[in-house]
Amino acid sequence: MRRIFPLSFFFILVSCTPQVPAVDVEKDVVYVYADAFSEAWLPALYTCAERSPELLVYRASDIDTANIILRLNGYPRLDTPAYHLADVEFVVATNAQNPLDTLSLEDVHAIFIGKITNWAQLGWDDALIQIWGYTSETGLNGVLLQGEKLSSLAKQAQSPVAMRDAITADQYEIGFIPLEMVLSDPSIQKISFAQPMKLPLLILLREESDSSKSVVACLQRNTD
């Protein structure tokens, strides 16, 4: 005769069966800092980090606590290994309603150092030129002005996005932002003059580990 065991017997049997413990993978925790000019590359960095199961990435609130640093132009210089990821082209830009879409290099410098302060001096409206620069910590003003000092009347933008928004809001504004922002926004225009401003986007490592270097290699492949 076939014996019938109560269902509760099987529950007891399963509960008493030894379970194979899950093996925890030790995570290499790193903190990433990105300045306002390199935040667009963060999604690619997170994607690269996800491909490395032993790496756990968090966003750092400041540069001093970061293991991996993304920044434009590498300024101020840090005594850490640096790797080149891409070049970002900056251009001088104005509101699209400004008819002066071509200026000489001398005129551009004169505007940004405060020697030309009114658009009428360049043959347009009698209106003050609203200049935009970046904070001195970025080092970007010096790239445009080649060692000359930015006008004391210039407003300071915390990011290219903030400068772009200011230029789109007023026809008398002028600043310098990444070329891709100009190409994607018909309300602003590039001012043509003979001075290329291509700046390197760098990734810096405070400590070089196999996992962090693999992230760098992944990012470099994705930005080629």
Side-chain angles (χ1 to χ4, degrees):
M1 176 181 290
R2 182 179 298 173
R3 296 193 179 190
I4 300 175
F5 292 94
L7 187 60
S8 59
F9 173 79
F10 292 98
F11 288 129
I12 295 171
L13 181 63
V14 171
S15 64
C16 294
T17 302
Q19 301 296 313
V20 177
V23 177
D24 291 331
V25 177
E26 185 176 351
K27 298 286 187 178
D28 184 8
V29 179
V30 298
Y31 292 88
V32 177
Y33 173 84
D35 65 14
F37 304 90
S38 55
E39 287 188 337
W41 279 266
L42 278 176
L45 186 147
Y46 292 141
T47 298
C48 287
E50 288 173 358
R51 298 175 185 173
S52 182
E54 72 277 8
L55 193 63
L56 194 59
V57 175
Y58 292 102
R59 182 79 181 269
S61 58
D62 58 74
I63 195 170
D64 294 329
T65 59
N67 308 105
I68 298 178
I69 301 164
L70 276 171
R71 67 182 311 153
L72 190 69
N73 206 31
Y75 183 91
R77 297 192 181 279
L78 300 176
D79 188 21
T80 56
Y83 300 86
H84 179 267
L85 292 183
D87 288 318
V88 181
E89 183 174 356
F90 275 71
V91 296
V92 174
T94 64
N95 191 288
Q97 296 182 51
N98 188 328
L100 304 175
D101 59 356
T102 301
L103 295 172
S104 69
L105 179 59
E106 291 74 18
D107 285 342
V108 168
H109 283 176
I111 289 171
F112 280 93
I113 66 176
K115 287 186 176 180
I116 294 178
T117 59
N118 194 298
W119 287 112
Q121 294 174 260
L122 298 169
W124 187 36
D125 287 353
D126 181 12
L128 290 176
I129 300 175
Q130 305 296 329
I131 309 166
W132 281 90
Y134 295 104
T135 60
S136 59
E137 289 78 11
T138 65
L140 295 182
N141 299 330
V143 173
L144 173 67
L145 299 177
Q146 299 180 336
E148 296 182 86
K149 189 176 180 181
L150 184 68
S151 169
S152 60
L153 300 176
K155 303 171 187 176
Q156 291 188 344
Q158 298 300 315
S159 70
V161 173
M163 189 176 292
R164 179 202 62 193
D165 292 346
I167 294 172
T168 59
D170 191 324
Q171 62 180 334
Y172 299 119
E173 312 282 322
I174 187 170
F176 54 107
I177 58 178
L179 175 61
E180 62 182 20
M181 285 188 172
V182 177
L183 298 178
S184 63
D185 192 333
S187 63
I188 52 181
Q189 65 182 352
K190 170 187 172 182
I191 297 296
S192 297
F193 70 102
Q195 180 177 323
M197 290 188 294
K198 287 189 176 181
L199 304 178
L201 173 72
L202 303 176
I203 181 167
L204 300 97
L205 304 179
R206 289 197 187 277
E207 296 179 2
E208 290 189 291
S209 64
D210 290 340
S211 55
S212 62
K213 286 191 288 188
S214 70
V215 170
V216 172
C218 175
L219 277 172
Q220 288 176 323
R221 288 193 300 270
N222 290 338
T223 54
D224 285 342

